[in-house]
């Protein structure tokens, strides 16, 4: 249903792209098999079996070069602090001296 976004009942307009490896047979047989699947609905049950182990590779959404407030969720310093607000003020107590 990734090419027919209207059936998904989601607010997302852009379709998800999925890559699925095709095994077995010669290269021409694989290409013929896949060209027959163009613009057709492919169900999950046709691709994967029940309780089948699969490998998944994911890429996280990039957030750019963030400071400590956004990256680690540290508390912002007070308004009258010296040399900036969005810095780390304290990372813990002095004793015990382990961080």
């Amino acid at each position: 249903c990734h090419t027919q976004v209207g059936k998904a009942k989601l607010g997302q307009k852009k379709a998800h792209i999925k890559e699925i490896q095709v095994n077995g047979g010669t290269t021409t047989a694989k290409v013929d098999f896949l060209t027959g699947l163009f613009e057709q609905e492919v169900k999950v049950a046709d691709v994967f079996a029940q309780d089948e182990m699969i490998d998944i590779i994911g890429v996280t959404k990039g957030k750019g070069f963030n400071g400590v407030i956004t990256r680690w969720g540290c508390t912002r310093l007070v308004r009258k602090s010296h040399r900036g607000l969005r810095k780390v003020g304290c990372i813990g107590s002095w004793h015990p001296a382990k961080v």
Side-chain angles (χ1 to χ4, degrees):
C1 185
H2 70 278
T3 57
Q4 300 168 344
V5 182
K7 289 186 177 181
K9 301 282 192 276
L10 296 173
Q12 182 172 353
K13 303 281 190 218
K14 187 175 179 183
H16 293 292
I17 297 174
K18 304 208 182 328
E19 292 184 7
I20 299 172
Q21 182 178 351
V22 178
N23 294 327
T26 62
T27 306
T28 57
K30 292 178 193 178
V31 170
D32 292 338
F33 172 71
L34 292 175
T35 53
L37 293 177
F38 281 156
E39 298 296 328
Q40 291 184 4
E41 184 177 355
V42 179
K43 296 185 178 178
V44 176
D46 296 339
V47 179
F48 302 111
Q50 183 71 28
D51 297 330
E52 182 180 2
M53 299 294 287
I54 59 172
D55 292 329
I56 296 176
I57 298 172
V59 178
T60 58
K61 206 183 264 191
K63 307 243 188 292
F65 188 81
N66 287 333
V68 292
I69 303 296
T70 306
R71 188 175 184 191
W72 303 111
C74 296
T75 307
R76 195 176 66 87
L77 296 178
V78 294
R79 177 179 58 88
K80 296 174 93 173
S81 62
H82 187 57
R83 295 195 186 113
L85 302 174
R86 300 180 63 87
K87 298 179 180 288
V88 175
C90 179
I91 57 171
S93 61
W94 187 290
H95 292 288
K98 294 183 225 168
V99 178

